[in-house]
Amino acid sequence: MTGQQQRDELRRQIWSIANKVRGAVDGWDFKQFVLGTLFYRFISENFTSYIEGGDETINYAGMSDADIPDEAKVDAIKTKGYFISPSQLFANVVATANTNENLNTDLAAIFSAIEASASGYPSEEDINGLFSDFDTTSNRLGNTVKDKKTRLAAVLKGVADLPLKFDDNEGDLFGDAYGFLISKYAANAGKSGGEFFTPQHVSKLIAQLAMHKQTSVNKIYDPAAGSGSLLLQAKKHFDDHIIEDGFFGQEINYTTYNLARMNMFLHNINYDKFHIRYGNTLEAPHFGDDKPFDAIVSNPPYSVKWKGSDDPILINDDRFAPAGVLAPKSKADFAFVLHTLHYLSAKGRAAIVCFPGIFYRRGAEQKIRKYLVDNNFVETVISLAPNLFFGTTIAVNILVLAKDKPDTGVQFIDANGEEFFDKKANTNEMSDAHVAEIVRMFDSKENVPHVAEIVTYDRIVGSDYNLSVSAYVEPKDTREVIDITKLNAELEATVENINRLSADINAIVAEIEA
């Protein structure tokens, strides 16, 4: 069995177990229990591996909590960010889960203790509240205490049965399992899923565009981080050392914020290398002291409402003031774009998923486009195929911003054609080859008939700062070419045949009547 076949089989088992343990509960509502349990198992095995340090004579799970000296606890928290006592380890809890009448309260106490272990340490903000969505008293687990305990035990046992293990070589199995589960839940959740997860194939493209030809970046940032999938694609596709100072992101949904932090841990990014914060990026942004960022990736929510002109302070905000106008209150898309631009370094690049309407609508959005084009910040606009994202069939765009462009032209790429995606039953997909071809065109900046065009600044100004790909890349004419000369000849022949047949019929009729 090949590595990919093994991975596919593991994923099949994971999804089968996730569906089995949830019973009649909707998968979207139940996701935090499966994902939280997988995370609990991971940090338990990760912590055990750290404590044992490869010494086979040490069995941390078999130790007594009282045997662990305080200085060892402090060292562990400073290194790993948290502490787990032997009795609190996943393996020890799952071993007695079916017979433990206090499983619900014991689990709640364990999660609370793990979070509390970071109090007063640098990791406190990264650990605090991680298990807040894992409510062991939730009615989603059952109506009675017994039902809840039985369901919890089933979840623990199901996750324990997954053929995963943590070590230096196979730690990514946990990250892959977690990412797979998130994508499956998102795919089955419709619009809600699309709000917190960017499909992997699109994430690959965005990450590669943002980091293209950068030999190293100081740090990477996502102002609408979701579950962290875009940030993690940057880690997956580039050597770890290329991102020097870690991963930064902000997320407005608290449950998704917890998923993102768990996702970082599960992909072996230690607490001191990621900085995920909770809150409204537009109204209460974090990381003002950490900017600028050499690479920014983002899939912000499409056309959400925000305060805009209702807050008189925002027009003087350093992020929005240079454009001289705020994004419409009913459509915050360009507010995210301007925020991203403000956080971008002089040598950096940002790749942002955008709703196509912002590129041609007039009013405030046209004025913001004017600001972006006049100051030469727009490097490329890419139109993607339809139905690539969960929850929407729209053919979205990617806006690539840069502050160090060598010329004033803007590149437009139409990646809408069937040569850039594979049609699937539910959502379409881009293969690695499709992603590579788009990146190649982005890099070459060459004109390709019906696909890519470099448009001059003057032409864009003459088009009232329209940045729609369709305004500049002429679509291929797929209509059948009609040969008029040949058609006329065929018509003449047809008329002759009709006349001849008519004459023959008239002759026959005349003969009959005679």
Side-chain angles (χ1 to χ4, degrees), residues 363-481:
E365 291 176 319
Q366 183 187 41
K367 293 177 181 177
I368 294 174
R369 294 197 302 271
K370 180 180 187 302
Y371 163 73
L372 295 174
V373 172
D374 285 350
N375 287 276
N376 202 30
F377 294 137
V378 181
E379 181 174 5
T380 302
V381 181
I382 304 171
S383 175
L384 296 181
N387 202 29
L388 291 176
F389 291 77
F390 301 126
T392 180
T393 60
I394 294 171
V396 302
N397 291 178
I398 296 179
L399 172 64
V400 182
L401 301 176
K403 291 184 176 179
D404 62 346
K405 287 175 57 189
D407 54 61
T408 59
V410 176
Q411 181 187 39
F412 293 87
I413 297 176
D414 184 351
N416 230 315
E418 292 188 3
E419 68 270 29
F420 292 107
F421 71 99
D422 294 322
K423 287 188 175 182
K424 299 291 183 179
N426 296 318
T427 56
N428 296 324
E429 291 182 9
M430 291 186 294
S431 67
D432 287 348
H434 295 141
V435 170
E437 177 59 16
I438 294 172
V439 173
R440 187 197 67 76
M441 289 191 296
F442 170 76
D443 174 63
S444 70
K445 296 294 189 288
E446 64 185 15
N447 289 332
V448 179
H450 312 299
V451 176
E453 177 122 8
I454 299 293
V455 179
T456 65
Y457 167 76
D458 290 338
R459 185 178 171 192
I460 293 174
V461 172
S463 298
D464 293 329
Y465 295 94
N466 187 331
L467 291 179
S468 296
V469 172
S470 60
Y472 304 103
V473 180
E474 183 180 355
K476 186 180 295 185
D477 190 347
T478 57
R479 295 174 300 177
E480 182 183 357
V481 177

Side-chain angles (χ1 to χ4, degrees), residues 15 19 22 25-32 185:
W15 192 236
N19 280 325
R22 72 177 175 86
V25 184
D26 183 82
W28 178 249
D29 292 333
F30 202 72
K31 68 183 183 303
Q32 62 263 41
Y185 284 128

Side-chain angles (χ1 to χ4, degrees), residues 136-362:
T136 61
T137 65
S138 172
N139 287 333
R140 291 182 178 124
L141 292 168
N143 293 323
T144 67
V145 173
K146 182 180 179 181
D147 289 342
K148 292 179 174 65
K149 184 193 78 68
T150 300
R151 181 66 58 77
L152 273 177
V155 175
L156 289 167
K157 184 64 167 58
V159 171
D161 287 342
L162 294 177
L164 301 170
K165 64 178 180 176
F166 177 86
D167 59 36
D168 291 339
N169 296 319
E170 299 194 51
D172 279 348
L173 286 176
F174 274 93
D176 182 72
Y178 192 81
F180 167 73
L181 276 172
I182 289 179
S183 69
K184 290 291 286 185
Y185 284 128
N188 285 274
K191 183 178 180 180
S192 298
E195 291 175 355
F196 80 93
F197 183 77
T198 303
Q200 187 179 70
H201 50 104
V202 183
S203 297
K204 289 179 182 179
L205 174 60
I206 295 169
Q208 291 182 45
L209 290 171
M211 299 183 69
H212 184 63
K213 285 191 173 178
Q214 298 202 66
T215 55
S216 67
V217 299
N218 60 354
K219 45 206 160 188
I220 188 166
Y221 169 58
D222 186 343
S227 56
S229 55
L230 278 171
L231 292 173
L232 290 168
Q233 278 299 326
K235 175 183 184 293
K236 183 176 291 188
H237 286 276
F238 299 90
D239 295 334
D240 289 350
H241 71 270
I242 198 175
I243 302 172
E244 298 168 352
D245 298 320
F247 305 79
F248 294 72
Q250 184 166 346
E251 172 55 38
I252 194 170
N253 180 286
Y254 195 79
T255 296
T256 310
Y257 157 68
N258 283 333
L259 291 178
R261 291 191 293 165
M262 290 182 183
N263 218 354
M264 295 293 133
F265 279 111
L266 280 153
H267 283 84
N268 293 321
I269 301 176
N270 206 37
Y271 78 91
D272 58 341
K273 284 296 183 183
F274 76 80
H275 311 272
I276 308 296
R277 298 293 177 259
Y278 170 65
N280 187 318
T281 294
L282 299 181
E283 297 175 11
H286 287 275
F287 311 122
D289 294 334
D290 296 290
K291 67 178 193 299
F293 295 88
D294 290 341
I296 301 179
V297 291
S298 187
N299 179 16
Y302 308 144
S303 301
V304 295
K305 296 179 180 179
W306 74 309
K307 287 184 177 180
S309 57
D310 284 346
D311 185 346
I313 297 176
L314 286 175
I315 192 59
N316 296 315
D317 190 301
D318 289 345
R319 297 170 296 166
F320 312 124
V325 65
L326 295 172
K329 290 185 294 182
S330 61
K331 303 176 182 68
D333 307 72
F334 264 129
F336 282 102
V337 170
L338 293 174
H339 169 91
T340 298
L341 181 67
H342 182 67
Y343 274 53
L344 188 64
S345 73
K347 73 159 190 147
R349 182 181 284 116
I352 313 164
V353 179
C354 295
F355 185 81
I358 71 170
F359 293 109
Y360 60 80
R361 290 192 295 242
R362 305 187 72 82

